[in-house]
Amino acid sequence: MRFDTGSRVTRDGIRIYSRDDFAGMHRAGRLAAQILDEVAAHVGVGQTTGALDAFIRKRVEEEGAVSATIGYKGYQHASCISLNHVVCHGIPGAKVPKGKNDRGARRHDELIEGDILNIDVTVVVDGWYGDTSRMYTVGPVKPFADRLIQVTHDALMKGIEAVRPGNTFGDIGHAIQSFVEAQRMSVVRDFCGHGLGRVFHAPPNVLHYGRPGTGAVLEEGMFFTIEPMVNLGRPETRVLSDEWTAITRDKSLSAQFEHSVGVTADGVEIFTLSPAGRFHPTTA
C-alpha cells in the first residue's frame, strides 16, 4: 500500500496520515518518553505526586513544548498520577483515596514504601501529540504487585504485536484480553485507547478486549494509543466526585502502560520508546 500525498479519513472516521507525518509523532513521543525517564529518579519514599507533577510541568516548559492536559476540560496538571487502586486520571496533589489494604485514606499525597503508581504524560511538539504512561514502584513492593505490573506491560506488548495492515482493532483487544485473563487478572472495560496525531483524542476507540476479526481494519498511516489497564481483581471501576479519578470498585490494585503507535506497511512503529531504555522497569 502506498501513502496518499495528504491525509484522508476512512469510513470509520479514522484519519490516515502520510509517511512524512511519522517524523512529527516521533519527536513528540520521544519528548514525552524522555520526561518519564527523567522523573523516575524523583519517585521515592516521602516524595509527593504534586512535586512530581511540578517537575514534569517544568521539563515540558524547558523543552519549549506544551502540556496537552493543562486546561483540557478544566484539568490543571501536566500529568495524571494514579496510585495503587486508582485505575487512571489520578490528580497530582490530591488526597489518596482508601484502598483495599489501607487502614484509612491518606491525609496527603506523599508516597510510601510499597506504592505502585502510573504516570501519564502528553506533550504537544510542533502541533503533534505524544502520549505515554508507565508504572513506577516505591521501594520494594509485594510480589503480587510486581506480577501485576509485569503482566500489564506484557499485555501492552501483545497488543502492539497485533498491529499490522489487514488486522482489526478486535485483534488487538483479543490479544490483550486473552493474555491477561490467562494470568487470572482482568482488563478494564470503562476506558480505552484512542486515535491521536494533530489532536489529543480522535477515532478510533481502541478497546483492550474483543473478538478476533471484529472492528475497523488497520491501515497504514493510522496513529493511535494502546494503553491497557489491568486489575488484580474485577474489571469494574467508578469515578470519584472530583469527576476525574477512576478507581477499582473492589479496591484491588490496578496497573497501566501506554504507547503511541503508527501502522506501517508491514507492521508498527512505536513513537514513545524510552530513550534510556527504561520503559519497564522504571524504578530509579
Side-chain angles (χ1 to χ4, degrees), residues 26-214:
H26 275 292
R27 290 193 301 272
R30 181 181 176 85
L31 177 59
Q34 176 187 319
I35 290 171
L36 289 186
D37 283 347
E38 294 171 0
V39 80
H42 300 270
V43 174
V45 174
Q47 184 61 279
T48 66
T49 59
L52 295 175
D53 183 70
F55 171 82
I56 291 167
R57 181 190 294 249
K58 180 173 180 287
R59 289 296 296 120
V60 172
E61 293 172 350
E62 288 173 345
E63 293 293 333
V66 173
S67 168
T69 54
I70 296 176
Y72 179 77
K73 297 185 177 180
Y75 195 77
Q76 294 302 316
H77 303 275
S79 63
C80 292
I81 302 181
S82 303
L83 278 167
N84 297 329
H85 67 292
V86 178
V87 174
C88 60
H89 303 158
I91 301 174
K95 182 179 178 182
V96 180
K98 184 178 179 180
K100 191 171 187 177
N101 300 314
D102 295 335
R103 294 181 180 177
R106 299 178 189 176
R107 295 181 180 178
H108 45 65
D109 66 332
E110 187 174 294
L111 301 178
I112 62 176
E113 185 173 294
D115 280 339
I116 66 171
L117 60 153
N118 176 273
I119 304 181
D120 190 338
V121 171
T122 307
V123 299
V124 188
V125 177
D126 300 326
W128 295 101
Y129 284 72
D131 188 0
T132 184
S133 80
R134 64 180 81 157
M135 295 300 295
Y136 300 80
T137 59
V138 183
V141 302
K142 297 293 187 182
F144 59 80
D146 189 62
R147 181 168 175 266
L148 170 67
I149 291 172
Q150 187 65 54
V151 167
T152 308
H153 171 269
D154 293 349
L156 168 63
M157 302 315 294
K158 294 285 186 183
I160 291 174
E161 288 172 6
V163 178
R164 56 183 176 273
N167 273 7
T168 68
F169 283 97
D171 294 328
I172 297 173
H174 176 73
I176 293 168
Q177 179 185 8
S178 59
F179 174 75
V180 169
E181 292 180 352
Q183 313 304 313
R184 301 178 67 84
M185 299 179 192
S186 65
V187 176
V188 170
R189 267 73 163 168
D190 298 333
F191 301 93
C192 61
H194 54 89
L196 81 171
R198 287 197 172 274
V199 294
F200 194 176
H201 295 101
N205 289 333
V206 182
L207 305 181
H208 305 117
Y209 61 95
R211 292 181 290 113
T214 62

Side-chain angles (χ1 to χ4, degrees), residues 8-16 169 202-205 215-219 222:
R8 62 181 176 84
V9 177
T10 70
R11 65 182 182 180
D12 297 297
I14 304 170
R15 185 163 297 279
I16 304 296
F169 283 97
N205 289 333
V217 176
L218 299 173
E219 295 185 39
M222 289 180 174

